């Protein structure tokens, strides 16, 4: 049908129509879909560079790039978006600026922070699709759980030496999701879990030396895998069939590739979709735990609990001298070199974390930020059989920047009609 070729003249300028002319020669291509798309790119390393470059060239309209790291000299051999003069700058910021140079009509924003602990779940709810350029299982697992909560497809990429794999995971509840859809966690082997534990072996605290991936990779394999990832993303955005639930595995030495199919594990913890996400006029800096818990109970009854999207480090306790240090920060903020007791120098203090708020806690008057909850996060109101997301929507501008005005996703909950949530401008 020719209507798939329809381009709205209001949204795409003449210059853009000209720029993307060759794409439109592809019969099913709809540039407007790409122009309207909101993509979260997690990781701005070797894969992330190729992903962001591809998305900008393809004319994806809205991109949020998240990464904690700064550019080093050793990145320059595998990062098309970075130059020597960028050394020392944040990867995400530099990648965003470079993408804007490639496609000036792009809305792009950078998040310079820990993607596991400090990236609010609201960005997953904002995005139409998440693309991972990650080098570790901890981040993959976290993204997987976030995507399943917010019902968003995600495209994973992995590279090592000159081999790589691209995988697509689409939750069952998504428009393109299939019943019995496997997720990333379903694919994890015992070895994967072992390596994940290793990463967190020091008392749950981040191991500084493991923060930066030192995986041997080349720009050739990252461009191959990121190319397949972005191509799958384009197909998802067009509502087309993808390798959902499968992995495309490429061996660089033999130049062989094959598809592998994954099975859903019935006892997998990631399959925990929120029944809906309500945009609350809240912010991490101002809303207190008590207020949030009250809303949870209002929604789901007096037995309801408030659940945080991730563990918060409440305190560290010395097993030797029993000295306690109250922290209330996200686990990503504390490195393993903080483990020894400052008083008695005992080698390892115990880490006390929590993720549930029931109403008996001593810290209910604290703001969510004072509990280590990042801005624009989503809290979970949970009862025995229901789970509803409460988004800290007043933080949206803080985290999304210029992306705040990007077109509203049709997956944003329209039923957020509670009097408290009704007047939000950005939904
Ligand atoms: Zn699973
Ligand atoms: Zn001590």
């Amino acid at each position: 049908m020719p209507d798939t070729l329809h381009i709205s003249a209001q949204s795409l300028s003449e210059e853009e129509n000209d720029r993307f002319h060759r794409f439109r020669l592809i019969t099913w291509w709809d540039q407007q879909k790409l122009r309207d798309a909101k993509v979260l790119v997690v990781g701005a390393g070797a894969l992330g560079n190729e992903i962001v470059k591809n998305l900008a060239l393809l004319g994806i309209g809205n991109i949020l790039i998240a990464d904690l790291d700064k550019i080093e000299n050793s990145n320059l051999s595998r990062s098309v978006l970075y130059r020597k003069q960028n050394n020392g700058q944040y990867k995400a910021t530099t990648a965003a600026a470079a993408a804007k140079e490639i496609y000036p009509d792009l809305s792009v924003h950078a998040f310079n922070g820990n993607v596991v602990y400090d990236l609010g779940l609201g960005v997953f709810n904002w995005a139409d699709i998440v693309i991972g350029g990650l080098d570790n299982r901890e981040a993959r697992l976290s993204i997987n759980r976030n995507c399943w909560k917010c019902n968003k497809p995600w495209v994973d990429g992995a590279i090592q030496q000159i081999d790589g794999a691209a995988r697509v995971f689409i939750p069952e509840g998504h428009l393109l999701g299939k019943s019995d859809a496997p997720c990333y966690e379903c694919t994890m082997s015992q070895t994967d879990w072992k390596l994940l534990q290793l990463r967190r072996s020091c008392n749950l605290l981040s191991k500084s030396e493991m923060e930066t991936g030192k995986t041997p990779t080349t720009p050739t394999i990252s461009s191959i895998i990121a190319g397949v990832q972005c191509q799958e993303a384009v197909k998802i955005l067009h509502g087309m069939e993808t390798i959902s639930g499968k992995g495309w595995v490429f061996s660089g030495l033999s130049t062989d590739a094959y598809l592998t199919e994954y099975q859903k594990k019935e006892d997998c913890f990631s399959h925990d979709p929120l029944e809906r996400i309500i945009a609350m006029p809240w912010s991490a800096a101002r809303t207190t735990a008590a207020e949030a818990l009250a809303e949870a109970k209002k929604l789901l009854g007096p037995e309801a609990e408030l659940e945080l999207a991730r563990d918060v480090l409440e305190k560290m306790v010395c097993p030797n001298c029993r000295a306690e240090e109250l922290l209330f920060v996200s686990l990503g903020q504390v490195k393993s070199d903080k483990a020894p007791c400052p008083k008695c120098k005992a080698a390892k203090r115990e880490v006390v974390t929590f993720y549930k708020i029931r109403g008996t806690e001593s810290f209910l008057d604290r703001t969510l930020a004072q509990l280590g909850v990042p801005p624009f996060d989503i809290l979970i109101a949970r009862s025995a059989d229901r789970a509803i997301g409460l988004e800290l929507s007043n933080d949206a501008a803080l985290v999304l920047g210029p992306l705040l005005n990007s077109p509203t996703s049709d997956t944003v909950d329209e039923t957020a009609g509670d009097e408290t949530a009704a007047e939000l401008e950005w939904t």
Side-chain angles (χ1 to χ4, degrees), residues 97-134:
K100 183 94 179 157
E101 223 168 86
I102 293 173
Y103 178 33
D105 290 311
L106 169 69
S107 281
V108 61
H109 196 53
F111 175 84
N112 302 303
N114 184 308
V115 299
V116 177
Y117 297 105
D118 298 325
L119 182 60
L121 240 70
V123 302
F124 289 83
N125 189 34
W126 163 84
D128 299 316
I129 181 166
V130 179
I131 308 184
L134 302 158

Side-chain angles (χ1 to χ4, degrees), residues 152-394:
K152 298 303 165 104
W154 82 281
V155 187
D156 180 35
I159 51 175
Q160 187 162 31
Q161 299 192 21
I162 62 168
D163 301 331
R167 311 194 271 186
V168 177
F169 300 107
I170 305 183
E172 250 182 277
H174 187 268
L175 213 63
L176 301 172
K178 295 171 183 158
S179 59
D180 284 336
C183 75
Y184 167 73
E185 188 173 345
C186 293
T187 75
M188 283 178 72
S189 64
Q190 272 187 330
T191 315
D192 288 321
W193 284 109
K194 243 181 233 160
L195 288 165
L196 182 73
Q197 288 319 118
L198 256 184
R199 195 181 159 81
R200 292 176 146 197
S201 60
C202 184
N203 255 352
L204 286 177
L205 302 183
S206 305
K207 279 193 137 183
S208 319
E209 66 273 26
M210 294 183 83
E211 289 282 279
T212 49
K214 300 248 187 326
T215 320
T217 61
T218 64
T220 48
I221 190 64
S222 56
S223 67
I224 290 167
I225 297 304
V228 172
Q229 285 182 275
C230 292
Q231 211 155 264
E232 291 301 297
V234 165
K235 284 152 65 182
I236 291 172
L237 291 169
H238 279 81
M240 295 163 74
E241 189 74 16
T242 63
I243 57 166
S244 157
K246 300 189 184 93
W248 183 79
V249 185
F250 175 75
S251 158
L253 280 179
S254 62
T255 328
D256 260 343
Y258 64 91
L259 273 179
T260 179
E261 197 162 349
Y262 303 112
Q263 300 301 320
K264 180 185 175 183
K265 282 186 187 152
E266 287 308 322
D267 54 352
C268 175
F269 284 113
S270 284
H271 303 256
D272 178 32
L274 298 172
E275 84 182 46
R276 61 191 175 118
I277 295 169
I278 303 176
M280 299 301 296
W282 291 351
S283 67
R286 286 191 302 276
T287 306
T288 63
E291 274 175 79
L293 181 63
E295 184 67 25
K297 291 184 186 297
K298 192 176 123 196
L299 279 166
L300 295 178
E303 299 301 311
E305 295 175 340
L306 190 69
E307 211 175 275
L308 308 182
R310 53 190 84 64
D311 288 331
V312 163
L313 178 47
E314 181 181 350
K315 58 187 173 184
M316 291 172 83
V317 182
C318 177
N320 188 31
C321 73
R322 302 314 299 171
E324 282 191 12
E325 184 184 2
L326 279 184
L327 286 158
F328 287 108
V329 290
S330 89
L331 272 170
Q333 299 295 327
V334 183
K335 300 278 175 273
S336 53
D337 54 16
K338 242 200 147 246
C341 174
K343 280 205 176 140
C344 74
K345 312 292 176 206
K348 239 187 217 180
R349 285 183 291 170
E350 286 154 15
V351 168
V352 180
T353 65
F354 73 96
Y355 71 97
K356 274 185 184 217
I357 298 175
R358 296 183 171 94
T360 53
E361 294 80 359
S362 57
F363 51 73
L364 293 176
D365 288 340
R366 286 186 179 232
T367 64
L368 297 166
Q370 286 168 343
L371 292 180
V373 173
F376 202 33
D377 209 5
I378 294 174
L379 309 176
I380 300 158
R382 195 183 288 279
S383 65
D385 52 355
R386 297 180 65 191
I388 293 176
L390 304 170
E391 185 183 76
L392 309 182
S393 297
N394 280 7

Side-chain angles (χ1 to χ4, degrees), residues 39-41 43-44 52 63-67 91-92 95-96 99 108-112:
V39 180
L40 168 62
V41 178
V52 170
I63 306 175
L64 182 70
I65 307 168
D67 198 300
K91 287 180 176 177
V108 61
H109 196 53
F111 175 84
N112 302 303

Side-chain angles (χ1 to χ4, degrees), residues 392-406:
L392 309 182
S393 297
N394 280 7
D395 290 333
L398 193 67
V399 178
L400 292 176
L403 295 166
L404 182 60
N405 298 319
S406 43

